[in-house]
Amino acid sequence: MKYTSPSSEKGIHTDFKNNMTYGEYLHLDTLLSSQERLSGHHDEMLFIIIHQVSELWMKLVLHETDAAIAAIQADDLPASFKKLARVTRIQEQIIQGWDVLSTLTPAEYIEFRDALGQASGFQSYQYRMIEFALGYKTGHILKIYEKDPELHAQLEKAYHAPGLYDVAIQALRKAGFDIPEELADRDFSRLYEENEAVKKAWMTVYQNVDRYWELYQLAEKLVDIEDSFQQWRFRHMKTVERIIGFKKGTGGSSGVNYLKKVLDHHFFPELWDLRTEL
């Protein structure tokens, strides 16, 4: 294969004295100088970057999920499908991140763990906002963020806002299904509880796919997201177990035991139950 020198590309721009560069557009000076190892240990760089990359992906998950919620509320279900499909692909990237972090051994981690103090992924506010968007509302968590009033207010707003499943249920009602008004306009800060009317509606959708194609597509996109989210949680739990066993987390949680417990929660319970009953 013949080698092509970059110098043969006559149209390549090289003079950026008065133009924006790639690095400036992405603020790479800020991004790449944000990995400060508190211990100086070699493997702390891996630990920092994996968590920073996860936070960037979570920012995009929230960006897409919020847009999908708005699209569903505007009765534009097809517009939500692309965004929800993208969320699932993003989740795949975060899951693979755990595979990289699992190369960190217990002996290596204990060399810099004390430098973390009480800082923990348990405190990730973006992770909490994703849980809120998926309907997993836990009010006691909000206390963690009281240190930052602006952030706390942002989380409070998300805590009381309708989540992805709430707007999906509202879409069922708009489509003529017998969904009680008090359920469609419930207190969204409360953890959603399985409802027979919602299960009956989704059952009808799955039994009449051609008639309710868009609602059927919405339901399957929700299942994709929950499936991927639970895989994310599982890989998180197994990575933590691999690195620290059953020690407490740096943030004071029970660590693996806590992560195992949340695996039992379903965000969209009726969509899983009907698979047994169909």
Side-chain angles (χ1 to χ4, degrees):
M1 182 179 291
K2 185 178 179 181
Y3 173 72
T4 301
S5 170
S7 63
S8 66
E9 294 290 328
K10 304 301 183 184
I12 291 178
H13 294 285
T14 57
D15 183 0
F16 287 95
K17 291 175 183 172
N18 298 307
N19 295 300
M20 178 178 66
T21 66
Y22 169 82
E24 288 169 338
Y25 173 66
L26 295 177
H27 297 281
L28 290 182
D29 54 344
T30 300
L31 185 65
L32 298 179
S33 62
S34 298
Q35 295 75 45
E36 183 180 348
R37 290 179 291 165
L38 299 182
S39 68
H41 192 277
H42 174 84
D43 293 302
E44 191 180 355
M45 182 66 77
L46 163 68
F47 192 81
I48 293 171
I49 288 177
I50 287 294
H51 287 86
Q52 287 181 338
V53 169
S54 293
E55 290 291 337
L56 285 172
W57 281 129
M58 283 191 275
K59 182 173 184 176
L60 189 53
V61 166
L62 287 167
H63 179 71
E64 300 295 342
T65 303
D66 289 346
I69 289 173
I72 296 168
Q73 288 176 315
D75 302 324
D76 190 358
L77 299 189
S80 74
F81 299 157
K82 174 65 177 290
K83 297 170 179 62
L84 295 176
R86 183 174 290 163
V87 168
T88 302
R89 293 298 182 91
I90 296 166
Q91 289 171 312
E92 292 173 5
Q93 298 302 311
I94 303 177
I95 291 167
Q96 291 176 8
W98 293 121
D99 294 337
V100 181
L101 186 59
S102 68
T103 64
L104 181 67
T105 69
E108 291 162 346
Y109 182 51
I110 60 175
E111 290 292 322
F112 64 84
R113 190 184 191 215
D114 287 347
L116 305 180
Q118 294 179 327
S120 166
F122 186 84
Q123 298 146 16
S124 168
Y125 69 85
Q126 290 197 122
Y127 180 82
R128 296 303 169 192
M129 290 186 74
I130 292 172
E131 285 190 328
F132 290 174
L134 297 182
Y136 189 62
K137 306 290 181 77
T138 47
H140 67 280
I141 291 294
L142 293 172
K143 186 171 179 59
I144 294 173
Y145 310 101
E146 289 178 349
K147 179 179 181 179
D148 184 337
E150 185 176 340
L151 175 58
H152 187 266
Q154 185 180 350
L155 282 152
E156 278 275 8
K157 182 179 179 181
Y159 180 69
H160 290 282
L164 189 55
Y165 200 44
D166 294 311
V167 297
I169 291 171
Q170 290 170 351
L172 287 172
R173 192 167 192 269
K174 290 176 183 177
F177 287 99
D178 187 20
I179 304 295
E181 183 177 358
E182 61 270 19
L183 178 62
D185 296 320
R186 68 188 186 89
D187 178 359
F188 300 118
S189 68
R190 300 187 65 177
L191 193 63
Y192 176 78
E193 295 182 5
E194 192 169 353
N195 183 274
E196 190 62 32
V198 172
K199 184 163 75 170
K200 184 178 178 181
W202 284 126
M203 184 69 75
T204 301
V205 168
Y206 273 75
Q207 290 172 334
N208 300 272
V209 172
D210 292 340
R211 181 178 177 184
Y212 299 110
W213 177 250
E214 288 189 355
L215 287 169
Y216 172 72
Q217 285 290 302
L218 175 60
E220 284 298 291
K221 290 291 186 289
L222 296 181
V223 170
D224 287 342
I225 284 176
E226 176 159 352
D227 190 352
S228 295
F229 196 85
Q230 294 293 50
Q231 291 183 51
W232 174 10
R233 280 176 159 178
F234 180 78
R235 287 298 300 133
H236 183 187
M237 181 268 292
K238 293 306 293 184
T239 302
V240 170
E241 183 178 1
R242 177 173 178 151
I243 296 174
I244 69 168
F246 285 81
K247 295 186 185 76
K248 278 191 173 185
T250 50
S253 75
S254 58
V256 169
N257 288 324
Y258 170 79
L259 296 172
K260 281 185 175 180
K261 182 174 64 175
V262 295
L263 280 171
D264 293 332
H265 175 78
H266 272 310
F267 297 106
F268 319 129
E270 293 88 356
L271 294 178
W272 294 95
D273 288 349
L274 65 80
R275 282 160 159 72
T276 303
E277 299 179 24
L278 272 173

